[in-house]
Each structure stands twice: as structure tokens, then as C-alpha cells.
Amino acid sequence: MSLFSRREVLAGGLAFSASSLLARGAWARTAALLNAEAGAVGSAAQLGAVAPREQLLLDSGWKFTLGHGTDPAKDLGFGNGQGDFAKTADFGFAKVKYDDAKWRTLNLPHDWAVELPFVHDDEQQSHGYKPLGRRYPETSVGWYRREFEVSASDAGRRVVVEFDGAFRSVLVFVNGCFIGRNDNGYAPFRFDLTDFLHYGAKNAIVLRVDAAFGDGWFYEGAGLYRHVWLTKTDAVHLGRWESYVRAAVKGNAAALSLGTVVENQGKDAANARVTWKIVDAKGAAVATAESGAQAIAADGSATFTAEAKIANPALWNVEEPNLYSAIVTVESGGKAVDAERIEFGVRTVEFTADKGFFLNGKSLKIQGTCNHQDHAGVGAALPDRLQWFRLAVLKEMGGNAVRTSHNMPTPEWVDACDRMGMMMMCETRQMSSGPEGLAQLEAMIKRYRNSPSIILWSVGNEEWRLQSGEDADIGAKIGASMVRLCHELDPTRVVSAAVNGDNKQGVSDAFDVIGFNYNLKYPDDYHKVNPTRPIYGSETSSAIGTRGEYASDKLRNTVNSYDGVVPWGETAEEWWKFYGTREWIAGGFAWTGFDYRGEPTPYGWPSINSQFGIVDMCGYPKDNFYYYKAWWGLASGQGSSLHLFPHWNWHGREGDEIPVWVYSNADEVELFVNGKSLGSQKVPHLGHVEWKVRYEPGAIEARASKNGKVVLTERRETTGEAAAIRLTADRTEIDADGEDVAVLKVEALDAQGRLVPTDSTRIDFKVTGAGALIGVGNGDPNCQESDKASKRSLFHGLAQVIVQSTKEPGTITVEAVHQGRSLKPSTLTITTKKVDLRPSVV
């Protein structure tokens, strides 16, 4: 991942930046490497008693209470309308002695919106019917409070609090003083606290977070839903997100252009030099570089650059996401005063107008999905591990790219893409060349420009008025300014946006690559007129379906799993037959990988989330998943694939005609009903086969053949009623770090151990030991049960439980029972192992 998702490890007296690794084995290897590197830079004795840089996680031990959007008496007395900010240090709620005993204790990340009840208010439809906004003042404001110690030895250092993101309007107070504000839901922000702290004593930080206004038209959560950090540096230190590594492959070597900015926030001028050490994944040094010393005035900064070369580099690609690290060190006054570790990859990316997309010189179709950032059970506040879980689901179906719809992503999503080999279209929230829009764009590019997974920047989504019509001239100027800034900050990547129009004018004029949202009538004509401009599908499909449902029913708000699609969209087969067969198109991004809260298409209440996903809110595959697995998976080298649907539990419909479909990449498929063949069909390229079958209990079976030989068989059997519960976990051993999670699948089985695909039993959960339940879900777009309860109804036989470890090693025991009828209960034990904890504020 990039340095901008950095996490700190204290190594031999010198704190270096290290990426947010979720697999602790990788974290341990990074720590070992940094310890070794510390010896090369300087010992603790040489560096002095105080480490030049620390970055400490500030996630645990917060206090929280709801405030009020209109009544000061219910909002800590804040907002009386006169003198609210008259005095800098007059905020008693931000003093150490303030009584917060009645506040709730919690850890970050936290989303209070997912905890709220659902309200039948069509104005709240897009946000998942949660009571947020100016009409819901009692649930739209939240207060966070934390006390922390600052060592006396930190005097003379710069101390900064950094937020990876918060939703949405934040006021920050420290030790009774108003510090500043932030007013967007996705961009990171920070405040220098140096002058406001008590050294050698306890301090207090308080945040008022107002979620009444939204950035998007989808569920966005509320509160401190991303990580918070406390960073301590020397007065002479590396600038925030200023270090970059630009790798250019030249023959059997990679030429590296290195750069950074050193800031001097001290009282006196200082001389400084910068060195770079490049190491491979095993920690072996493969290149070094240095930049000559420069004088930096007090409150000034200086830019340092250098060049280096890696011989025979291991390239980053979607199969082998090889990464390198650059350890950037600042020396001043004869010692190392700051250092950080940034990770990067060596690869080439090219969008062409006639042959499509190339990664490392090899043709590759972009097989992508658009995704929002929420998940069942936790809302927008995803533990880091869930990012990896979600990407693994998308990779299983052959996906090789994601689009961060429609906002700057969380660092851990980018990190996971870098490490798992998933390409990314990285998108900013606001298409604007105004100060706020450009500031958000600059933050995104600087933070993530070292990330090898990112293949293009997106400056916005579906800005109708800026794309055509009377405001197209404004759009052209805005687009040009944003593209210019992208190229200035990162000359190695192309720039685009998601445009739901013909791309003939407006913002599209300046784009390097042209993206089309839907409208399959446009790309061919555009290519004929503009044969030198590369094209891809920036947002496609919008197929819809309800997992486990095989008939569309407006009274039940369900959509069939065969060919559901919105009026402006295309089925999976329609869009991929178009984009997958035109050599000159780079590929595209389907809307969406996962279902998401809000925008409950195609129905309104009581639906509380969309049905666009290829998988549901929990990540359980819908049948469409297997279309992609057949054809994307084949292109990704996954081999033969076969999926037969629907289920075969149709009690009461004996003799009715049931559509039976098969997704496969085999040559042909033969279907059997209770042992009798209904014939064989050849599988059309990028298509499917289907039969009309009169229902009779028993089994249907599909046999897929290649070159005349059966290679795969799949059955759907008529099951009995649910008799038992089964619990399984994605991992039965997790880290005892207070952060790691296990994702549990809950299933209803019949007496023969078969999943009952129609069961909706409510299951109760009990979690004991070294962990806690943090969320539940079932993938039902119409389910209004609480995501935070210790119970959940199954949806078509499935539910999901997410449990999180404590910091104490031991075991977590999860029990699943049904109180209402005699289902055999299930118990699962998860081991939590001792690991090195991320450095944190105590």
C-alpha cells in the first residue's frame, strides 16, 4: 500500500511508518525489517532518548453520547447562538475534570447510524430509512470524548491528531480550546495540537459530529467510522503525504524517481539531507539513493529528489502482487530525525484506443465492480479485516478491479487491493475545481499515489449538468482544472470520470480515458468518431436480484434471480457480451459487487438496501455471481465452473413449470430430473443454458462436459425441514489485538445435513470468552431487524455473525440456538492468539 495508509512501528528507538497489515505474520515481518533498519540508521543512544516519530492508534477507550441538533440543553449546552466561540478556552466539556460517567464507552471505528431504528420516511429512502437529517435533530449529532496522557519528554515535538475520515461535520476541542472544524465525510483531516497540550499530564479531546447533512445519495453512516491517530515528530520532519516513488520499467530494470518534502517547524533554520533505501519483500536492500543537504528556514520547507534503479524487478500484477518498500530518512544535526516507510509496486499500465488495457505489456480485460463501503452488521465502520474478506469474495468470482464509488476510499481498502492483487479506479467525492473540491482531490492523490493497485483516477460521477447542455462549458473548465492537478501531482496515471452521457462535450473534453455509464448505444459511435481515445465502462449493468428468490413480487419487494434489471441497465450477460467482446474496450465496472444500504432499488419501504449487488450485504453470492465466476474466472485462470439453479424445494407447486438455468464455461451441459435426462445443450460463449422443468420432488442434476468428458456435476435436492444449525467461520484462529474479526456463516440444515434454502428461522446467539459480537446480518433487503442485536432471522437458510477479539489471548465461544422449535444448536470455538499490538495511545 502507499505510505499514506501508514502505521507506525517503534523500531530500536526510531519509529518508522509501516503499512496497516492485517495478517499479523506480515506485520511481524515488517517490524523485524524495521528493527534491522533502525540499526543502519542509528541506535537509540545515537538518536537520543526521544524517538523522532511515533504514530499511535487512538481508537480505544472513547466515550460517546448523542447530542441534539436544535436544543442546546440536550447538546452539552452548546449552540445557544451568542458567544459560542467567543473565548478560545471556554469549553468545559473538553476539560479533563468534566464528568462523562453517563457516557457510553466504545472503540473506533464507530457508526452510530447503523444502531438507530428504521423510520418509514420516504425522505430517508436513499440513506436506508435511518433517522438522520435536520428533521431528526435528536439522532443526528454525536459527541466523542477521550482523555489521554502526553509525556513530559514530548515537549519540543510536534503533536498532531489525524482522522482518516468522519461523517460528517466535525468540531474539535482540546483541553477546553476550540481547535478547528472539518466539513466532509470522506477526506482525511488533521490538527496540530502542540500548543494546546499539557505535557507530563492528562489531556482531553472532544469532537462534536453532526451527520445532518449528507455527501451522497446512499447510506453514509455517522460518526468516527475510520481510524484516528496521534502523531509525534521532531520539529524537522517529512511533510504529510509528500514522499513518492515513481517506477518506470526500462528493459530489465526499473528506474525510480524519488521525492519528498522536509518541513522545519522549529524556531531556527536547519540543514537536512534525505536518504532512501529500497528493500524487497524479503527485506533485502536492492537500491539506495540520497539527496544533498539543504538549508531549511524556520517555518519553511524544502523539496528533495533523487534517482535509483532496481535490477530485474519483481513486477506487481493481479496474480503476484509484488511490493517493494522505500525507507525515507531525514538527517539533521548529525542524526536521523525522522523516517517513514512507504510501499510501492513496479508495473506498467496502458490504456489504448485500439487494443484495450495492458498491465505489464499484457492484454487484460478489466473485470471490475463498483462498491460502496458499508457491510452487514457494522454499517460504515468496518474493522480492517473485513476489507480483506470483501475483496476475497470479489476475487473468487474472477473480479480483478474495483471502483471506489463515489468517494475517497478508506486506507485499508487500498491496502488490501495492493496486497491481494486487485486493481482500483480511485474516485473523489466532489467534482469541483473550487477550493474544497481540489483540496479533496489533492489529498486523495497524494495519499495513494504510491499504491500500485490504482490504475486510474476518477474526478467524479454522473454530473449531468456539467456533461452536456447549457453548463457544459463550465464542466469543460472544471474537468480541465481537475485533470491538470492530477497530472501535476501524479504524472504516471491517467484521469477519467464516470459519465452517464455521450461524452461528446463538457467535463469529458480533458479526460485521458473515456468512461461510459450504461447506454450501450454510445461507445461504438464514440469510437468511430474518436478512434484515438481509450474507452472503458465506468459503470455498467445494474442488474438486480434478491438472493434465493426466483419470482419478482412487488407485494414482497423481491426480484427474480434470473434476469432482473432496472430500465437503464443491462443484465450481466448483456453488458459483458458487449464489453467483453470488443478488443478496443478496456473492460468495465459492474454496478455493484455488494448490495449496500440505502437507495433501495427497485422498491421503497420496507426495503432498506439496494438489490444491485452480485452478492448480498453479507457477501453471500446471488446466482449472478456464478455467471461472472464462469466467464471472468475462466479469463483469470480459475478453470471449469458449473452452477445450477434454482433450489428444488417447491412444495405445493407440483406439476408447475420451473425455469432451470445453468451458468458454466464448459462445452455443453446435460440436465437430469430424478435420474431422467432432459437433454444436453451447448453453452454459448458468455451465455447460459436453460430448461423448463415441471416440478416433482427429488433432485435435479447438471453434468458439464468438455471435449466429450464430464468434468463437473452439481445437484439440487428437495430437502426436509430444518433440523439443525451449523456455524462455520472464515478463520478459527484470529489475533488477540482488539481489532481482528471472524466472520461466521449461520446455516439451517435438514436431518441429512443439507442446507434448507427456504428456511427463515430466528436464531439467538451467545458470545463468551475473549471476544464480542459486533454485528449480525442475513442479506435480506427487506429485513429491519437490528444489526447490533444478539439474534437474527435466517434468510433463505443463511445469516452472518461478526465477532471481534479482545486484546487478551484465549478462546471465543459462539453458541447458536433456536428458542422456538427443536433445531439442534451449534457451538463454535475461535482461538485468539497473542500478537504484537499496534502502538496505541493509552
Side-chain angles (χ1 to χ4, degrees):
M1 67 175 287
S2 78
L3 78 100
F4 309 124
S5 299
R6 63 189 186 275
R7 302 293 180 258
E8 300 292 331
V9 160
L10 188 61
L14 179 61
F16 290 85
S17 299
S19 55
S20 169
L21 308 185
L22 305 182
R24 292 298 165 171
W27 177 262
R29 289 193 296 275
T30 300
L33 178 59
L34 289 171
N35 277 318
E37 192 57 34
V41 175
S43 67
Q46 292 172 318
L47 294 169
V50 180
R53 173 181 288 250
E54 293 178 89
Q55 190 174 37
L56 308 174
L57 190 63
L58 188 55
D59 276 2
S60 63
W62 286 84
K63 293 293 193 76
F64 173 79
T65 189
L66 287 174
H68 202 280
T70 60
D71 187 349
K74 298 177 181 179
D75 202 37
L76 307 191
F78 184 76
N80 283 301
Q82 291 187 346
D84 293 322
F85 295 95
K87 301 292 184 181
T88 299
D90 204 27
F91 300 97
F93 50 72
K95 295 283 190 178
V96 168
K97 295 182 179 180
Y98 183 80
D99 183 8
D100 60 7
K102 294 183 179 180
W103 293 30
R104 170 184 163 200
T105 300
L106 54 77
N107 297 328
L108 307 181
H110 174 240
D111 172 9
W112 85 73
V114 74
E115 303 169 357
L116 299 176
F118 298 98
V119 292
H120 188 180
D121 178 352
D122 288 341
E123 294 296 323
Q124 301 303 111
Q125 180 182 30
S126 290
H127 295 282
Y129 293 104
K130 291 294 186 176
L132 294 173
R134 296 179 68 185
R135 293 181 300 110
Y136 296 94
E138 66 278 1
T139 51
S140 296
V141 174
W143 289 84
Y144 294 86
R145 193 172 187 280
R146 175 71 149 80
E147 294 186 358
F148 60 98
E149 299 275 353
V150 177
S151 172
S153 62
D154 287 327
R157 305 172 78 187
R158 308 306 300 186
V159 182
V160 176
V161 64
E162 301 188 79
F163 301 87
D164 284 345
F167 203 86
R168 178 188 182 268
S169 300
V170 182
L171 301 177
V172 180
F173 307 85
V174 172
N175 291 332
C177 300
F178 172 65
I179 304 299
R181 69 185 72 214
N182 182 73
D183 199 34
N184 71 76
Y186 300 99
F189 57 101
R190 72 202 300 248
F191 297 101
D192 191 324
L193 305 183
T194 305
D195 294 345
F196 300 91
L197 297 174
H198 299 300
Y199 295 87
K202 187 171 287 187
N203 297 264
I205 182 170
V206 172
L207 290 85
R208 182 184 188 272
V209 184
D210 189 338
F213 287 89
D215 280 286
W217 52 96
F218 39 86
Y219 179 89
E220 299 180 284
L224 299 182
Y225 73 97
R226 294 183 180 176
H227 292 305
V228 180
W229 307 88
L230 194 70
T231 303
K232 305 174 184 179
T233 66
D234 188 86
V236 177
H237 57 263
L238 292 161
R240 185 196 193 201
W241 308 333
E242 295 290 358
S243 295
Y244 64 81
V245 179
R246 296 171 183 157
V249 178
K250 298 181 179 180
N252 294 324
L256 306 182
S257 295
L258 310 169
T260 194
V261 172
V262 176
E263 298 175 352
N264 177 15
Q265 290 185 278
K267 299 177 181 178
D268 303 312
N271 288 317
R273 65 188 290 265
V274 177
T275 64
W276 289 264
K277 185 174 184 178
I278 312 300
V279 298
D280 63 17
K282 296 180 179 180
V286 295
T288 58
E290 64 179 65
S291 185
Q294 296 186 52
I296 309 176
D299 288 325
S301 64
T303 299
F304 294 78
T305 60
E307 304 290 330
K309 182 179 291 187
I310 302 175
N312 301 309
L315 301 183
W316 185 96
N317 57 59
V318 294
E319 292 88 18
E320 296 181 67
N322 298 299
L323 295 173
Y324 289 88
S325 297
I327 298 171
V328 189
T329 304
V330 181
E331 297 178 4
S332 182
K335 63 181 181 180
V337 295
D338 197 14
E340 66 183 354
R341 175 190 181 90
I342 62 175
E343 291 187 337
F344 66 95
V346 177
R347 86 286 187 272
T348 64
V349 167
E350 185 180 12
F351 287 83
T352 71
D354 56 344
K355 298 293 184 179
F357 176 76
F358 289 81
L359 179 64
N360 298 325
K362 298 180 180 178
S363 177
L364 180 68
K365 279 289 185 185
I366 296 172
Q367 299 173 168
T369 58
C370 308
N371 291 278
H372 285 308
Q373 62 178 9
D374 61 305
H375 190 87
V378 295
L382 274 68
D384 295 354
R385 171 67 194 183
L386 269 183
Q387 309 291 355
W388 293 63
F389 175 87
R390 287 163 65 85
L391 275 185
V393 170
L394 299 176
K395 284 188 72 72
E396 184 184 349
M397 72 176 188
N400 63 19
V402 292
R403 172 184 168 216
T404 67
S405 312
H406 304 286
N407 51 265
M408 180 176 176
T410 188
E412 291 71 33
W413 184 241
V414 182
D415 180 21
C417 287
D418 286 346
R419 295 182 178 281
M420 294 180 70
M422 182 74 78
M423 299 181 293
M424 175 179 285
M425 173 180 175
C426 195
E427 187 163 286
T428 191
R429 171 78 288 276
Q430 187 180 59
M431 182 182 280
S432 172
S433 55
E436 176 67 20
L438 291 182
Q440 290 184 24
L441 182 62
E442 179 176 356
M444 182 181 78
I445 294 174
K446 282 189 172 182
R447 185 166 195 167
Y448 296 134
R449 60 186 166 182
N450 293 303
S451 171
S453 62
I454 296 175
I455 58 173
L456 77 164
W457 302 114
S458 171
V459 298
N461 171 74
E462 294 186 350
E463 294 285 351
W464 295 282
R465 289 183 174 83
L466 302 180
Q467 293 171 183
S468 61
E470 62 181 16
D471 292 330
D473 60 329
I474 295 176
K477 290 177 284 189
I478 290 174
S481 293
M482 297 185 80
V483 170
R484 192 161 51 247
L485 178 62
C486 291
H487 290 165
E488 175 187 331
L489 296 173
D490 178 21
T492 71
R493 289 181 180 84
V494 294
V495 184
S496 184
V499 175
N500 58 334
D502 58 17
N503 275 292
K504 292 181 179 179
Q505 58 180 323
V507 294
S508 304
D509 290 350
F511 295 155
D512 303 309
V513 184
I514 298 300
F516 283 97
N517 285 16
Y518 314 107
N519 295 309
L520 296 185
K521 61 186 178 183
Y522 289 143
D524 283 339
D525 290 342
Y526 187 92
H527 179 61
K528 291 177 182 177
V529 178
N530 302 276
T532 62
R533 302 196 76 176
I535 293 172
Y536 72 107
S538 44
E539 184 176 315
T540 63
S541 187
S542 274
I544 48 178
T546 312
R547 177 178 60 79
E549 294 285 346
Y550 298 96
S552 297
D553 187 342
K554 293 181 179 180
L555 296 178
R556 297 175 54 241
N557 282 18
T558 61
V559 182
N560 79 82
S561 295
Y562 299 107
D563 56 3
V565 67
V566 294
W568 62 87
E570 308 90 31
T571 66
E573 290 185 45
E574 288 170 343
W575 91 266
W576 191 245
K577 283 180 178 178
F578 184 92
Y579 279 91
T581 57
R582 284 160 171 75
E583 183 183 28
W584 46 271
I585 288 184
F589 296 85
W591 188 267
T592 53
F594 280 73
D595 275 346
Y596 56 93
R597 285 177 175 78
E599 205 172 19
T601 311
Y603 306 111
W605 183 269
S607 297
I608 46 84
N609 67 252
S610 81
Q611 302 197 44
F612 290 116
I614 299 168
V615 301
D616 67 19
M617 286 283 298
C618 297
Y620 293 136
K622 302 179 187 179
D623 292 292
N624 250 356
F625 176 96
Y626 298 97
Y627 171 80
Y628 291 102
K629 185 174 176 61
W631 300 111
W632 285 7
L634 182 66
S636 301
Q638 292 184 11
S640 299
S641 177
L642 175 66
H643 177 66
L644 169 68
F645 64 103
H647 61 72
W648 210 237
N649 280 24
W650 299 103
H651 177 71
R653 294 192 58 187
E654 287 76 7
D656 287 358
E657 200 170 65
I658 305 294
V660 174
W661 285 30
V662 171
Y663 291 135
S664 180
N665 52 29
D667 296 337
E668 58 183 319
V669 176
E670 186 174 8
L671 183 70
F672 294 81
V673 178
N674 292 330
K676 180 181 178 180
S677 175
L678 269 64
S680 181
Q681 296 187 44
K682 292 189 179 299
V683 180
H685 181 57
L686 303 184
H688 75 279
V689 291
E690 61 180 275
W691 291 260
K692 301 291 186 182
V693 180
R694 294 199 177 277
Y695 176 65
E696 57 182 85
I700 54 175
E701 181 178 297
R703 298 176 186 173
S705 299
K706 280 192 174 183
N707 300 319
K709 295 182 178 180
V710 174
V711 293
L712 289 173
T713 300
E714 190 165 81
R715 288 170 61 87
R716 297 286 178 261
E717 299 178 355
T718 306
T719 71
E721 292 186 356
I725 306 166
R726 179 167 62 190
L727 292 176
T728 54
D730 66 326
R731 297 174 301 148
T732 55
E733 183 180 76
I734 63 175
D735 295 338
D737 59 1
E739 301 182 59
D740 204 1
V741 297
V743 183
L744 278 63
K745 178 190 286 187
V746 188
E747 300 172 277
L749 307 180
D750 72 359
Q752 297 184 44
R754 300 172 296 188
L755 175 71
V756 182
T758 54
D759 194 78
S760 58
T761 301
R762 196 192 78 179
I763 307 297
D764 291 82
F765 306 103
K766 182 180 180 181
V767 178
T768 56
L773 185 153
I774 64 168
V776 295
N778 61 12
D780 181 355
N782 304 305
C783 182
Q784 297 187 6
E785 298 171 15
S786 171
D787 286 76
K788 297 299 182 180
S790 57
K791 57 189 175 183
R792 191 71 165 191
S793 297
L794 300 178
F795 182 59
H796 291 294
L798 297 175
Q800 185 174 89
V801 175
I802 304 171
V803 296
Q804 188 169 51
S805 67
T806 65
K807 294 181 181 180
E808 294 297 325
T811 58
I812 305 171
T813 300
V814 184
E815 300 173 71
V817 299
H818 175 234
Q819 303 292 351
R821 74 176 199 245
S822 56
L823 268 66
K824 183 179 179 181
S826 181
T827 300
L828 181 68
T829 299
I830 298 165
T831 301
T832 67
K833 62 180 180 179
K834 184 178 180 180
V835 293
D836 293 332
L837 302 179
R838 292 203 275 195
S840 301
V841 176
V842 295

